[in-house]
Amino acid sequence: GVHMATPNVDSDIVKEIAAKTNTPVETVSRMYEETWAEYSEGARIMDYLSVLVARRVRDNLLRWKQEMH
């Protein structure tokens, strides 16, 4: 298949993560795209990719916020 540089970012997931982590949507969607690119290179099971990516982005943001304080 054609390797997509940027995924079709699921805006609902991005908005949800943004709300939960109190982070701007632009920041979340950029992280989501970067994380997706990382994961999709070795991914065999694309079905779970959005779940993994979303969880990873959220965890990263929450950890990042904790370190800021």
Side-chain angles (χ1 to χ4, degrees), residues 24-68:
V25 171
E26 299 83 57
T27 306
V28 176
S29 81
R30 193 164 58 239
M31 279 187 71
Y32 192 93
E33 285 175 18
E34 285 168 10
T35 306
W36 185 287
E38 248 175 70
Y39 273 63
S40 62
E41 307 218 329
R44 311 251 182 310
I45 318 164
M46 298 302 277
D47 305 354
Y48 297 114
L49 206 55
S50 58
V51 177
L52 288 172
V53 170
R55 188 180 300 148
R56 169 79 187 275
V57 170
R58 194 183 61 226
D59 291 350
N60 281 350
L61 284 168
L62 292 172
R63 197 175 305 122
W64 181 54
K65 289 252 186 279
Q66 284 169 353
E67 287 168 6
M68 300 266 286

mmCIF file of all heavy atoms in Angstrom, residues 24-68:
data_model
loop_
_atom_site.group_PDB
_atom_site.id
_atom_site.type_symbol
_atom_site.label_atom_id
_atom_site.label_comp_id
_atom_site.label_asym_id
_atom_site.label_seq_id
_atom_site.Cartn_x
_atom_site.Cartn_y
_atom_site.Cartn_z
ATOM 1 N N PRO A 24 -3.765 22.446 23.707
ATOM 2 C CA PRO A 24 -4.357 22.925 22.438
ATOM 3 C C PRO A 24 -4.480 21.798 21.411
ATOM 4 O O PRO A 24 -3.593 20.942 21.327
ATOM 5 C CB PRO A 24 -3.345 23.975 21.953
ATOM 6 C CG PRO A 24 -2.608 24.393 23.174
ATOM 7 C CD PRO A 24 -2.580 23.196 24.083
ATOM 8 N N VAL A 25 -5.556 21.827 20.640
ATOM 9 C CA VAL A 25 -5.814 20.798 19.638
ATOM 10 C C VAL A 25 -4.661 20.710 18.627
ATOM 11 O O VAL A 25 -4.292 19.629 18.195
ATOM 12 C CB VAL A 25 -7.157 21.064 18.917
ATOM 13 C CG1 VAL A 25 -7.331 20.127 17.734
ATOM 14 C CG2 VAL A 25 -8.309 20.903 19.891
ATOM 15 N N GLU A 26 -4.084 21.867 18.274
ATOM 16 C CA GLU A 26 -2.986 21.858 17.299
ATOM 17 C C GLU A 26 -1.817 21.026 17.814
ATOM 18 O O GLU A 26 -1.205 20.264 17.066
ATOM 19 C CB GLU A 26 -2.466 23.281 17.035
ATOM 20 C CG GLU A 26 -3.493 24.231 16.455
ATOM 21 C CD GLU A 26 -4.372 24.844 17.531
ATOM 22 O OE1 GLU A 26 -3.830 25.479 18.450
ATOM 23 O OE2 GLU A 26 -5.595 24.669 17.464
ATOM 24 N N THR A 27 -1.493 21.203 19.092
ATOM 25 C CA THR A 27 -0.388 20.463 19.694
ATOM 26 C C THR A 27 -0.672 18.972 19.697
ATOM 27 O O THR A 27 0.188 18.165 19.326
ATOM 28 C CB THR A 27 -0.173 20.934 21.159
ATOM 29 O OG1 THR A 27 0.005 22.353 21.171
ATOM 30 C CG2 THR A 27 1.043 20.266 21.780
ATOM 31 N N VAL A 28 -1.880 18.617 20.108
ATOM 32 C CA VAL A 28 -2.265 17.210 20.167
ATOM 33 C C VAL A 28 -2.223 16.585 18.779
ATOM 34 O O VAL A 28 -1.679 15.494 18.599
ATOM 35 C CB VAL A 28 -3.673 17.036 20.778
ATOM 36 C CG1 VAL A 28 -4.090 15.566 20.751
ATOM 37 C CG2 VAL A 28 -3.699 17.557 22.208
ATOM 38 N N SER A 29 -2.763 17.269 17.782
ATOM 39 C CA SER A 29 -2.825 16.659 16.449
ATOM 40 C C SER A 29 -1.427 16.519 15.854
ATOM 41 O O SER A 29 -1.150 15.556 15.154
ATOM 42 C CB SER A 29 -3.765 17.435 15.529
ATOM 43 O OG SER A 29 -3.144 18.558 14.983
ATOM 44 N N ARG A 30 -0.532 17.443 16.173
ATOM 45 C CA ARG A 30 0.844 17.317 15.689
ATOM 46 C C ARG A 30 1.524 16.111 16.337
ATOM 47 O O ARG A 30 2.189 15.319 15.667
ATOM 48 C CB ARG A 30 1.631 18.601 15.986
ATOM 49 C CG ARG A 30 2.963 18.667 15.248
ATOM 50 C CD ARG A 30 3.531 20.072 15.253
ATOM 51 N NE ARG A 30 3.729 20.565 16.601
ATOM 52 C CZ ARG A 30 3.156 21.669 17.103
ATOM 53 N NH1 ARG A 30 2.334 22.383 16.361
ATOM 54 N NH2 ARG A 30 3.397 22.050 18.332
ATOM 55 N N MET A 31 1.341 15.964 17.646
ATOM 56 C CA MET A 31 1.905 14.807 18.345
ATOM 57 C C MET A 31 1.296 13.512 17.830
ATOM 58 O O MET A 31 1.980 12.502 17.700
ATOM 59 C CB MET A 31 1.637 14.896 19.850
ATOM 60 C CG MET A 31 2.611 15.795 20.590
ATOM 61 S SD MET A 31 2.335 15.688 22.381
ATOM 62 C CE MET A 31 2.957 14.043 22.725
ATOM 63 N N TYR A 32 -0.002 13.557 17.558
ATOM 64 C CA TYR A 32 -0.706 12.375 17.072
ATOM 65 C C TYR A 32 -0.114 11.943 15.736
ATOM 66 O O TYR A 32 0.154 10.759 15.521
ATOM 67 C CB TYR A 32 -2.198 12.716 16.933
ATOM 68 C CG TYR A 32 -3.104 11.531 16.707
ATOM 69 C CD1 TYR A 32 -3.705 10.893 17.787
ATOM 70 C CD2 TYR A 32 -3.376 11.068 15.422
ATOM 71 C CE1 TYR A 32 -4.557 9.809 17.578
ATOM 72 C CE2 TYR A 32 -4.224 9.980 15.218
ATOM 73 C CZ TYR A 32 -4.809 9.367 16.302
ATOM 74 O OH TYR A 32 -5.640 8.301 16.104
ATOM 75 N N GLU A 33 0.111 12.909 14.860
ATOM 76 C CA GLU A 33 0.683 12.592 13.543
ATOM 77 C C GLU A 33 2.088 12.028 13.665
ATOM 78 O O GLU A 33 2.437 11.063 12.989
ATOM 79 C CB GLU A 33 0.707 13.854 12.662
ATOM 80 C CG GLU A 33 -0.665 14.218 12.134
ATOM 81 C CD GLU A 33 -0.657 15.535 11.364
ATOM 82 O OE1 GLU A 33 0.431 15.984 10.959
ATOM 83 O OE2 GLU A 33 -1.739 16.101 11.181
ATOM 84 N N GLU A 34 2.900 12.651 14.543
ATOM 85 C CA GLU A 34 4.274 12.183 14.722
ATOM 86 C C GLU A 34 4.298 10.776 15.303
ATOM 87 O O GLU A 34 5.067 9.923 14.861
ATOM 88 C CB GLU A 34 5.045 13.139 15.642
ATOM 89 C CG GLU A 34 5.430 14.433 14.950
ATOM 90 C CD GLU A 34 5.937 15.484 15.921
ATOM 91 O OE1 GLU A 34 6.166 15.151 17.109
ATOM 92 O OE2 GLU A 34 6.100 16.645 15.501
ATOM 93 N N THR A 35 3.467 10.553 16.306
ATOM 94 C CA THR A 35 3.413 9.246 16.952
ATOM 95 C C THR A 35 2.892 8.202 15.970
ATOM 96 O O THR A 35 3.381 7.080 15.919
ATOM 97 C CB THR A 35 2.507 9.301 18.204
ATOM 98 O OG1 THR A 35 2.963 10.359 19.053
ATOM 99 C CG2 THR A 35 2.573 7.995 18.980
ATOM 100 N N TRP A 36 1.896 8.586 15.169
ATOM 101 C CA TRP A 36 1.339 7.681 14.169
ATOM 102 C C TRP A 36 2.415 7.259 13.180
ATOM 103 O O TRP A 36 2.552 6.083 12.849
ATOM 104 C CB TRP A 36 0.179 8.352 13.430
ATOM 105 C CG TRP A 36 -0.509 7.437 12.467
ATOM 106 C CD1 TRP A 36 -0.029 7.015 11.267
ATOM 107 C CD2 TRP A 36 -1.784 6.813 12.632
ATOM 108 N NE1 TRP A 36 -0.946 6.167 10.661
ATOM 109 C CE2 TRP A 36 -2.022 6.033 11.475
ATOM 110 C CE3 TRP A 36 -2.757 6.855 13.624
ATOM 111 C CZ2 TRP A 36 -3.193 5.295 11.306
ATOM 112 C CZ3 TRP A 36 -3.924 6.120 13.452
ATOM 113 C CH2 TRP A 36 -4.126 5.353 12.315
ATOM 114 N N ALA A 37 3.205 8.229 12.714
ATOM 115 C CA ALA A 37 4.265 7.938 11.746
ATOM 116 C C ALA A 37 5.251 6.936 12.338
ATOM 117 O O ALA A 37 5.684 5.998 11.668
ATOM 118 C CB ALA A 37 4.974 9.227 11.353
ATOM 119 N N GLU A 38 5.593 7.150 13.621
ATOM 120 C CA GLU A 38 6.506 6.248 14.324
ATOM 121 C C GLU A 38 5.936 4.826 14.369
ATOM 122 O O GLU A 38 6.615 3.868 14.033
ATOM 123 C CB GLU A 38 6.641 6.723 15.779
ATOM 124 C CG GLU A 38 7.992 7.270 16.167
ATOM 125 C CD GLU A 38 7.937 7.816 17.583
ATOM 126 O OE1 GLU A 38 7.819 7.005 18.529
ATOM 127 O OE2 GLU A 38 7.986 9.046 17.753
ATOM 128 N N TYR A 39 4.707 4.725 14.820
ATOM 129 C CA TYR A 39 4.087 3.416 15.038
ATOM 130 C C TYR A 39 3.775 2.691 13.736
ATOM 131 O O TYR A 39 3.898 1.485 13.664
ATOM 132 C CB TYR A 39 2.784 3.584 15.826
ATOM 133 C CG TYR A 39 2.978 3.593 17.321
ATOM 134 C CD1 TYR A 39 3.726 4.597 17.922
ATOM 135 C CD2 TYR A 39 2.422 2.606 18.127
ATOM 136 C CE1 TYR A 39 3.903 4.616 19.289
ATOM 137 C CE2 TYR A 39 2.601 2.627 19.497
ATOM 138 C CZ TYR A 39 3.341 3.633 20.072
ATOM 139 O OH TYR A 39 3.521 3.649 21.418
ATOM 140 N N SER A 40 3.337 3.443 12.725
ATOM 141 C CA SER A 40 2.830 2.790 11.509
ATOM 142 C C SER A 40 3.941 2.121 10.712
ATOM 143 O O SER A 40 3.678 1.245 9.909
ATOM 144 C CB SER A 40 2.080 3.796 10.630
ATOM 145 O OG SER A 40 2.948 4.827 10.215
ATOM 146 N N GLU A 41 5.201 2.525 10.929
ATOM 147 C CA GLU A 41 6.304 1.929 10.178
ATOM 148 C C GLU A 41 6.411 0.437 10.425
ATOM 149 O O GLU A 41 6.619 -0.332 9.505
ATOM 150 C CB GLU A 41 7.627 2.614 10.551
ATOM 151 C CG GLU A 41 7.534 4.118 10.392
ATOM 152 C CD GLU A 41 8.810 4.721 9.842
ATOM 153 O OE1 GLU A 41 9.888 4.169 10.110
ATOM 154 O OE2 GLU A 41 8.717 5.744 9.155
ATOM 155 N N GLY A 42 6.274 0.015 11.680
ATOM 156 C CA GLY A 42 6.432 -1.396 11.993
ATOM 157 C C GLY A 42 5.120 -2.092 12.284
ATOM 158 O O GLY A 42 5.102 -3.241 12.698
ATOM 159 N N ALA A 43 4.023 -1.369 12.100
ATOM 160 C CA ALA A 43 2.731 -1.914 12.501
ATOM 161 C C ALA A 43 2.206 -2.936 11.506
ATOM 162 O O ALA A 43 2.220 -2.705 10.313
ATOM 163 C CB ALA A 43 1.719 -0.789 12.664
ATOM 164 N N ARG A 44 1.768 -4.065 12.028
ATOM 165 C CA ARG A 44 1.138 -5.065 11.186
ATOM 166 C C ARG A 44 -0.382 -4.928 11.321
ATOM 167 O O ARG A 44 -1.119 -5.169 10.392
ATOM 168 C CB ARG A 44 1.542 -6.480 11.630
ATOM 169 C CG ARG A 44 3.026 -6.654 11.807
ATOM 170 C CD ARG A 44 3.629 -7.542 10.716
ATOM 171 N NE ARG A 44 5.042 -7.809 10.825
ATOM 172 C CZ ARG A 44 5.981 -6.904 10.997
ATOM 173 N NH1 ARG A 44 5.672 -5.629 11.169
ATOM 174 N NH2 ARG A 44 7.262 -7.228 11.028
ATOM 175 N N ILE A 45 -0.815 -4.604 12.536
ATOM 176 C CA ILE A 45 -2.250 -4.548 12.805
ATOM 177 C C ILE A 45 -2.703 -3.102 12.883
ATOM 178 O O ILE A 45 -2.600 -2.463 13.912
ATOM 179 C CB ILE A 45 -2.565 -5.247 14.148
ATOM 180 C CG1 ILE A 45 -1.749 -6.538 14.268
ATOM 181 C CG2 ILE A 45 -4.051 -5.540 14.265
ATOM 182 C CD1 ILE A 45 -1.700 -7.091 15.669
ATOM 183 N N MET A 46 -3.171 -2.591 11.747
ATOM 184 C CA MET A 46 -3.560 -1.189 11.686
ATOM 185 C C MET A 46 -4.803 -0.877 12.532
ATOM 186 O O MET A 46 -5.008 0.243 12.940
ATOM 187 C CB MET A 46 -3.821 -0.786 10.232
ATOM 188 C CG MET A 46 -2.605 -0.911 9.343
ATOM 189 S SD MET A 46 -1.175 0.071 9.894
ATOM 190 C CE MET A 46 -1.624 1.668 9.183
ATOM 191 N N ASP A 47 -5.613 -1.906 12.793
ATOM 192 C CA ASP A 47 -6.853 -1.692 13.542
ATOM 193 C C ASP A 47 -6.594 -1.067 14.910
ATOM 194 O O ASP A 47 -7.355 -0.229 15.379
ATOM 195 C CB ASP A 47 -7.584 -3.018 13.788
ATOM 196 C CG ASP A 47 -7.848 -3.761 12.489
ATOM 197 O OD1 ASP A 47 -7.572 -3.193 11.420
ATOM 198 O OD2 ASP A 47 -8.317 -4.894 12.559
ATOM 199 N N TYR A 48 -5.521 -1.523 15.550
ATOM 200 C CA TYR A 48 -5.260 -1.070 16.906
ATOM 201 C C TYR A 48 -4.419 0.195 16.944
ATOM 202 O O TYR A 48 -4.184 0.754 18.002
ATOM 203 C CB TYR A 48 -4.529 -2.160 17.699
ATOM 204 C CG TYR A 48 -5.341 -3.409 17.870
ATOM 205 C CD1 TYR A 48 -4.955 -4.602 17.284
ATOM 206 C CD2 TYR A 48 -6.522 -3.381 18.629
ATOM 207 C CE1 TYR A 48 -5.705 -5.753 17.440
ATOM 208 C CE2 TYR A 48 -7.277 -4.526 18.790
ATOM 209 C CZ TYR A 48 -6.872 -5.718 18.193
ATOM 210 O OH TYR A 48 -7.614 -6.852 18.351
ATOM 211 N N LEU A 49 -3.955 0.624 15.769
ATOM 212 C CA LEU A 49 -3.003 1.720 15.730
ATOM 213 C C LEU A 49 -3.567 2.996 16.355
ATOM 214 O O LEU A 49 -2.908 3.634 17.173
ATOM 215 C CB LEU A 49 -2.566 1.977 14.286
ATOM 216 C CG LEU A 49 -1.189 2.604 14.114
ATOM 217 C CD1 LEU A 49 -0.123 1.764 14.822
ATOM 218 C CD2 LEU A 49 -0.843 2.717 12.644
ATOM 219 N N SER A 50 -4.794 3.352 15.995
ATOM 220 C CA SER A 50 -5.354 4.599 16.520
ATOM 221 C C SER A 50 -5.483 4.558 18.040
ATOM 222 O O SER A 50 -5.269 5.562 18.715
ATOM 223 C CB SER A 50 -6.708 4.902 15.879
ATOM 224 O OG SER A 50 -7.604 3.844 16.103
ATOM 225 N N VAL A 51 -5.798 3.367 18.561
ATOM 226 C CA VAL A 51 -5.915 3.218 20.013
ATOM 227 C C VAL A 51 -4.549 3.383 20.684
ATOM 228 O O VAL A 51 -4.411 4.114 21.665
ATOM 229 C CB VAL A 51 -6.513 1.839 20.376
ATOM 230 C CG1 VAL A 51 -6.561 1.651 21.887
ATOM 231 C CG2 VAL A 51 -7.895 1.681 19.779
ATOM 232 N N LEU A 52 -3.553 2.700 20.121
ATOM 233 C CA LEU A 52 -2.201 2.795 20.670
ATOM 234 C C LEU A 52 -1.669 4.217 20.606
ATOM 235 O O LEU A 52 -1.108 4.729 21.567
ATOM 236 C CB LEU A 52 -1.248 1.879 19.890
ATOM 237 C CG LEU A 52 -1.398 0.386 20.112
ATOM 238 C CD1 LEU A 52 -0.525 -0.382 19.114
ATOM 239 C CD2 LEU A 52 -1.011 0.016 21.533
ATOM 240 N N VAL A 53 -1.850 4.837 19.444
ATOM 241 C CA VAL A 53 -1.356 6.197 19.249
ATOM 242 C C VAL A 53 -2.033 7.157 20.213
ATOM 243 O O VAL A 53 -1.373 7.957 20.876
ATOM 244 C CB VAL A 53 -1.566 6.654 17.784
ATOM 245 C CG1 VAL A 53 -1.292 8.141 17.631
ATOM 246 C CG2 VAL A 53 -0.661 5.855 16.856
ATOM 247 N N ALA A 54 -3.363 7.057 20.312
ATOM 248 C CA ALA A 54 -4.105 7.946 21.204
ATOM 249 C C ALA A 54 -3.635 7.795 22.650
ATOM 250 O O ALA A 54 -3.430 8.788 23.355
ATOM 251 C CB ALA A 54 -5.606 7.664 21.114
ATOM 252 N N ARG A 55 -3.444 6.551 23.091
ATOM 253 C CA ARG A 55 -3.023 6.297 24.462
ATOM 254 C C ARG A 55 -1.619 6.863 24.705
ATOM 255 O O ARG A 55 -1.357 7.486 25.729
ATOM 256 C CB ARG A 55 -3.039 4.794 24.740
ATOM 257 C CG ARG A 55 -2.810 4.451 26.203
ATOM 258 C CD ARG A 55 -2.844 2.947 26.411
ATOM 259 N NE ARG A 55 -4.122 2.375 26.021
ATOM 260 C CZ ARG A 55 -4.271 1.146 25.520
ATOM 261 N NH1 ARG A 55 -3.225 0.378 25.330
ATOM 262 N NH2 ARG A 55 -5.461 0.693 25.206
ATOM 263 N N ARG A 56 -0.743 6.638 23.722
ATOM 264 C CA ARG A 56 0.629 7.112 23.839
ATOM 265 C C ARG A 56 0.696 8.639 23.917
ATOM 266 O O ARG A 56 1.388 9.213 24.753
ATOM 267 C CB ARG A 56 1.430 6.594 22.638
ATOM 268 C CG ARG A 56 2.796 7.191 22.465
ATOM 269 C CD ARG A 56 3.814 6.573 23.402
ATOM 270 N NE ARG A 56 5.078 7.279 23.316
ATOM 271 C CZ ARG A 56 6.022 7.020 22.411
ATOM 272 N NH1 ARG A 56 5.857 6.057 21.535
ATOM 273 N NH2 ARG A 56 7.127 7.721 22.394
ATOM 274 N N VAL A 57 -0.064 9.298 23.048
ATOM 275 C CA VAL A 57 -0.084 10.764 23.032
ATOM 276 C C VAL A 57 -0.609 11.307 24.353
ATOM 277 O O VAL A 57 -0.035 12.221 24.946
ATOM 278 C CB VAL A 57 -0.933 11.291 21.851
ATOM 279 C CG1 VAL A 57 -1.175 12.794 21.971
ATOM 280 C CG2 VAL A 57 -0.245 10.972 20.526
ATOM 281 N N ARG A 58 -1.702 10.706 24.832
ATOM 282 C CA ARG A 58 -2.291 11.168 26.086
ATOM 283 C C ARG A 58 -1.322 10.984 27.249
ATOM 284 O O ARG A 58 -1.132 11.895 28.056
ATOM 285 C CB ARG A 58 -3.597 10.401 26.363
ATOM 286 C CG ARG A 58 -4.452 11.038 27.458
ATOM 287 C CD ARG A 58 -5.679 10.184 27.737
ATOM 288 N NE ARG A 58 -5.310 8.866 28.208
ATOM 289 C CZ ARG A 58 -5.835 7.726 27.777
ATOM 290 N NH1 ARG A 58 -6.766 7.728 26.863
ATOM 291 N NH2 ARG A 58 -5.435 6.574 28.271
ATOM 292 N N ASP A 59 -0.688 9.813 27.312
ATOM 293 C CA ASP A 59 0.271 9.551 28.384
ATOM 294 C C ASP A 59 1.443 10.523 28.327
ATOM 295 O O ASP A 59 1.881 11.034 29.353
ATOM 296 C CB ASP A 59 0.796 8.108 28.301
ATOM 297 C CG ASP A 59 -0.285 7.093 28.655
ATOM 298 O OD1 ASP A 59 -1.356 7.508 29.133
ATOM 299 O OD2 ASP A 59 -0.041 5.894 28.448
ATOM 300 N N ASN A 60 1.944 10.774 27.127
ATOM 301 C CA ASN A 60 3.050 11.712 26.968
ATOM 302 C C ASN A 60 2.679 13.109 27.446
ATOM 303 O O ASN A 60 3.448 13.761 28.153
ATOM 304 C CB ASN A 60 3.492 11.797 25.498
ATOM 305 C CG ASN A 60 4.362 10.627 25.092
ATOM 306 O OD1 ASN A 60 4.787 9.840 25.935
ATOM 307 N ND2 ASN A 60 4.619 10.517 23.809
ATOM 308 N N LEU A 61 1.489 13.550 27.062
ATOM 309 C CA LEU A 61 1.048 14.885 27.447
ATOM 310 C C LEU A 61 0.865 14.996 28.954
ATOM 311 O O LEU A 61 1.249 15.991 29.561
ATOM 312 C CB LEU A 61 -0.260 15.242 26.738
ATOM 313 C CG LEU A 61 -0.088 15.622 25.268
ATOM 314 C CD1 LEU A 61 -1.436 15.665 24.576
ATOM 315 C CD2 LEU A 61 0.616 16.959 25.140
ATOM 316 N N LEU A 62 0.281 13.963 29.567
ATOM 317 C CA LEU A 62 0.062 14.002 31.006
ATOM 318 C C LEU A 62 1.387 14.018 31.757
ATOM 319 O O LEU A 62 1.555 14.734 32.734
ATOM 320 C CB LEU A 62 -0.797 12.809 31.457
ATOM 321 C CG LEU A 62 -2.249 12.855 30.977
ATOM 322 C CD1 LEU A 62 -2.956 11.553 31.293
ATOM 323 C CD2 LEU A 62 -2.990 14.027 31.607
ATOM 324 N N ARG A 63 2.351 13.234 31.286
ATOM 325 C CA ARG A 63 3.664 13.188 31.915
ATOM 326 C C ARG A 63 4.369 14.531 31.753
ATOM 327 O O ARG A 63 4.968 15.050 32.683
ATOM 328 C CB ARG A 63 4.506 12.065 31.290
ATOM 329 C CG ARG A 63 5.711 11.683 32.134
ATOM 330 C CD ARG A 63 6.437 10.489 31.533
ATOM 331 N NE ARG A 63 5.550 9.344 31.321
ATOM 332 C CZ ARG A 63 5.340 8.746 30.153
ATOM 333 N NH1 ARG A 63 5.947 9.171 29.070
ATOM 334 N NH2 ARG A 63 4.541 7.709 30.058
ATOM 335 N N TRP A 64 4.247 15.096 30.553
ATOM 336 C CA TRP A 64 4.861 16.375 30.232
ATOM 337 C C TRP A 64 4.293 17.468 31.136
ATOM 338 O O TRP A 64 5.014 18.288 31.682
ATOM 339 C CB TRP A 64 4.571 16.671 28.763
ATOM 340 C CG TRP A 64 5.144 17.944 28.229
ATOM 341 C CD1 TRP A 64 6.449 18.333 28.276
ATOM 342 C CD2 TRP A 64 4.438 18.992 27.542
ATOM 343 N NE1 TRP A 64 6.591 19.550 27.652
ATOM 344 C CE2 TRP A 64 5.377 19.979 27.193
ATOM 345 C CE3 TRP A 64 3.097 19.162 27.182
ATOM 346 C CZ2 TRP A 64 5.008 21.142 26.513
ATOM 347 C CZ3 TRP A 64 2.752 20.314 26.492
ATOM 348 C CH2 TRP A 64 3.700 21.283 26.164
ATOM 349 N N LYS A 65 2.971 17.439 31.347
ATOM 350 C CA LYS A 65 2.314 18.444 32.199
ATOM 351 C C LYS A 65 2.799 18.327 33.643
ATOM 352 O O LYS A 65 2.979 19.318 34.324
ATOM 353 C CB LYS A 65 0.797 18.243 32.150
ATOM 354 C CG LYS A 65 0.188 18.639 30.838
ATOM 355 C CD LYS A 65 -0.600 19.919 30.977
ATOM 356 C CE LYS A 65 -1.348 20.253 29.713
ATOM 357 N NZ LYS A 65 -0.493 20.887 28.712
ATOM 358 N N GLN A 66 2.981 17.087 34.100
ATOM 359 C CA GLN A 66 3.439 16.877 35.479
ATOM 360 C C GLN A 66 4.843 17.456 35.669
ATOM 361 O O GLN A 66 5.150 18.046 36.692
ATOM 362 C CB GLN A 66 3.443 15.388 35.835
ATOM 363 C CG GLN A 66 2.046 14.849 36.099
ATOM 364 C CD GLN A 66 2.011 13.336 36.193
ATOM 365 O OE1 GLN A 66 3.016 12.670 35.941
ATOM 366 N NE2 GLN A 66 0.873 12.791 36.541
ATOM 367 N N GLU A 67 5.690 17.261 34.644
ATOM 368 C CA GLU A 67 7.058 17.746 34.750
ATOM 369 C C GLU A 67 7.127 19.262 34.704
ATOM 370 O O GLU A 67 8.061 19.858 35.219
ATOM 371 C CB GLU A 67 7.913 17.160 33.611
ATOM 372 C CG GLU A 67 8.207 15.687 33.834
ATOM 373 C CD GLU A 67 8.808 15.016 32.593
ATOM 374 O OE1 GLU A 67 9.088 15.731 31.621
ATOM 375 O OE2 GLU A 67 9.004 13.795 32.653
ATOM 376 N N MET A 68 6.132 19.890 34.111
ATOM 377 C CA MET A 68 6.104 21.346 34.016
ATOM 378 C C MET A 68 5.886 21.978 35.391
ATOM 379 O O MET A 68 6.383 23.036 35.680
ATOM 380 C CB MET A 68 4.978 21.806 33.085
ATOM 381 C CG MET A 68 5.116 21.289 31.679
ATOM 382 S SD MET A 68 5.971 22.446 30.603
ATOM 383 C CE MET A 68 4.673 23.670 30.368
#
